[in-house]
Amino acid sequence: FAVVVILFCSACGKSLVSGKINPNMEYYQISLDASANDAYYAVRAALEKSDYAVSSEDLKAGTIVTTWRPISSDSHYVKLFDRKDYSVNAAYHQLEVHIVPAGENVQLKIGSRTKSLVAGLKSSGVEEKKLFFYVANVLRNDEPEITNLGVSTR
C-alpha cells in the first residue's frame, strides 16, 4: 500500500499533457500603396500601439515575429459542432508578419501561430485586422487630397 501511495504522490507533480504549437497558420493579407521601408516602420508602430513586443525580425526576408501572449476572448476559436466556440482558455499566440514588395505596392501578410492544449484552434482575424487598421492609419497622410476625381489619403 505504501508503494502505491508513494508512486501516486510522486506523479502528482508531473504534467501529464503539454501544449503544442499548431503548425497550420492562416495568413490575412492586404495590399498597401507604400514602400517596403515605410510599411516596415508602420508595422513596428502598429505592433507597439497594440502592445506586441517583437521577438525576432529579419529585415532581408521582411519578417517580424512577436513574443507569445495570451489569446483574447474574441481572437481565436475552435470549430465545434459546426459553430465557432470562443471559450478556449489557457492558450497563447504569436503574430508573424511578412512584408512582401510587389512592384510599387507592398503585400502585408499577418498570421497567428497558436500554442494550446486544444487542437484546431484558429484565428478569427480580429488581431490581424486591428493591425491592418493601425498600419493604414500610420501610412495615411495628415490631410486628404480631395479633387473632382475623388479622395486620396496617400
Side-chain angles (χ1 to χ4, degrees), residues 39-51 131 134-135 138:
Y40 168 78
Y41 286 109
V43 167
R44 288 298 302 249
L47 289 171
E48 186 175 326
K49 182 171 177 66
S50 300
D51 294 327
L131 280 176
Y134 290 153
V135 167
V138 171

Side-chain angles (χ1 to χ4, degrees), residues 52-64:
Y52 280 98
V54 173
S55 171
S56 66
E57 61 186 354
D58 183 349
L59 294 178
K60 288 185 180 183
T63 304
I64 301 172

Side-chain angles (χ1 to χ4, degrees), residues 9 32 39 54 69 78 86 90 98 103 126 142 144 152:
C9 289
L32 298 172
V54 173
R69 79 185 234 188
V78 174
Y86 289 92
H98 294 277
V126 168
D142 290 338
S152 174

Side-chain angles (χ1 to χ4, degrees), residues 3 12 19 34 36 68 74 76 88 93 97 101 116 122 141:
V3 173
C12 290
W68 292 93
D74 62 348
H76 292 77
V88 178
H93 78 111
V97 181
S116 173
K122 295 184 183 226
N141 286 339

Side-chain angles (χ1 to χ4, degrees), residues 20-22 67-72 75-76 88-95 112-117 121:
K20 303 276 187 231
I21 295 175
N22 184 358
T67 57
W68 292 93
R69 79 185 234 188
I71 63 170
S72 61
S75 67
H76 292 77
V88 178
N89 294 323
Y92 283 75
H93 78 111
Q94 82 179 158
L95 296 179
S112 178
R113 180 178 294 112
T114 58
K115 185 171 187 175
S116 173
L117 294 175
L121 193 60

